[in-house]
Amino acid sequence: MGRPLTERVADAAAPAVLALTGDLERPARLTVPDLLAWPQHRVRVSFECATSGVQHHRFEGPLLHDVLCAAGPQFDPGRRKDRLRFLIAVTGADGHHALLSWAEIDPDFGRAPVLLAAGIDDTALDGSGPQLVLPQDRCGARYVSGVNAIRVDGRYGPWT
Ligand SMILES: Nc1nc2c(c(=O)[nH]1)N[C@H]1C(S)=C(S)[C@@H](COP(=O)(O)O)O[C@H]1N2
Ligand SMILES: [Mo]
């Protein structure tokens, strides 16, 4: 409604863009094809949805950790404790939202092999945007699809 049909058709055809923002040296705007620049990982997952039961998918894409490190998170990489106050806020185009801690995906801490998938079941996600993949999750709720914003936030604590 409102805008001419030609504009809305152009929007639908435009590639999805993911904004990386927050406490980063190099904030970035990435398309799904941009995600192919990092080493690609493949994973087969099963997760349970509260409403539609068990789902099986194959995903392909870079590690979330690799993509975020390239954006230069503003902690001292040599001081492990400095990373513990960082959060990662992941938002889908529909407003679905999930928080991870930096330590959850850090190879020195939780080592969760979380992907920012560029493809699902041999289909590129160029139009809809990447999907967060947490192979260790039993439930599907954090598999945020159509990710259009990731904010890295290091302002948490200490509260005095
Ligand atoms: N953007 C977005 N991603 C989302 C959701 C959502 O509502 N919006 N629902 C989540 C939930 S609850 C589940 S179970 C899975 C469903 O994945 P499926 O569509 O492949 O079954 O997507 C997750 N990712
Ligand atoms: Mo779900």
Side-chain angles (χ1 to χ4, degrees), residues 14 80 97 158:
R80 292 178 186 168
H97 193 67

Side-chain angles (χ1 to χ4, degrees), residues 48-51 139-141:
E48 189 190 319
C49 174
T51 50
C139 167

